[in-house]
């Protein structure tokens, strides 16, 4: 299996797994939904879970991989405010939890770059 296919499968699996977690353990996701969003945090938790599952499924199929990977890059960018909120909200928690919340912030950039590399590798002319 080419490295680009392996990378796409890993990204797909990560997104589908994360999306499923939004339904299995939604409270942790509800807590990081920015208050400025209208409606219920649970609605946003479920919508983002569906988006992650759908994007992961798109990446898993070669025909939709490029569009799915671009959507993943957009999703990783869009959830950044939730990670900022989590880091702020957890500022008084024990040190290991604060570190975990802060570590999520710079991890968004490699996720975006990963998605874009999967998109590039999925080009029809490659």
């Amino acid at each position: 299996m080419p490295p680009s296919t392996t990378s796409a499968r890993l990204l797909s699996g990560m997104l589908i797994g994360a999306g499923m977690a939004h339904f299995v353990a939604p409270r942790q996701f509800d807590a990081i939904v920015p208050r400025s969003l209208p409606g219920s945090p649970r609605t946003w938790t479920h919508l983002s879970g569906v988006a992650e599952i759908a994007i992961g499924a798109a990446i898993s199929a070669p025909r939709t991989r490029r569009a799915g990977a671009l959507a993943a890059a957009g999703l990783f960018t869009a959830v950044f405010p939730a990670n900022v909120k989590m880091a702020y909200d957890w500022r008084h928690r024990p040190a290991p939890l604060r570190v975990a919340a802060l570590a999520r912030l710079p991890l968004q950039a490699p996720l975006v770059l990963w998605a874009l590399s999967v998109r590039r590798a999925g080009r029809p002319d490659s």
Side-chain angles (χ1 to χ4, degrees), residues 2 4 9 14 17 28 31 35 38 42 47 58-59 64-65 67-71 74 81 93 100 103-104 123 126:
S4 60
R9 286 185 179 185
M14 184 196 73
Q28 66 184 359
R35 288 183 270 287
R42 182 62 51 91
L47 287 173
I59 292 169
T64 55
R65 182 165 295 148
L70 185 59
R93 297 222 177 159
R104 290 175 63 126
R123 288 184 188 240
S126 63

Side-chain angles (χ1 to χ4, degrees), residues 7-101:
S7 184
R9 286 185 179 185
L10 288 170
L11 180 59
S12 171
M14 184 196 73
L15 282 161
I16 291 170
M20 291 171 58
H22 284 69
F23 295 93
V24 173
R27 285 191 339 186
Q28 66 184 359
F29 298 100
D30 294 348
I32 65 171
V33 172
R35 288 183 270 287
S36 60
L37 291 175
S40 159
R42 182 62 51 91
T43 300
W44 288 103
T45 294
H46 286 161
L47 287 173
S48 61
V50 167
E52 287 181 340
I53 292 167
I55 291 169
I59 292 169
S60 73
R63 292 184 135 207
T64 55
R65 182 165 295 148
R66 292 185 70 227
L70 185 59
L75 178 72
F76 294 143
T77 302
V79 300
F80 186 74
N83 292 338
V84 170
K85 180 184 182 309
M86 180 181 181
Y88 179 79
D89 289 349
W90 287 24
R91 68 192 180 282
H92 300 299
R93 297 222 177 159
L97 294 176
R98 282 195 320 265
V99 168

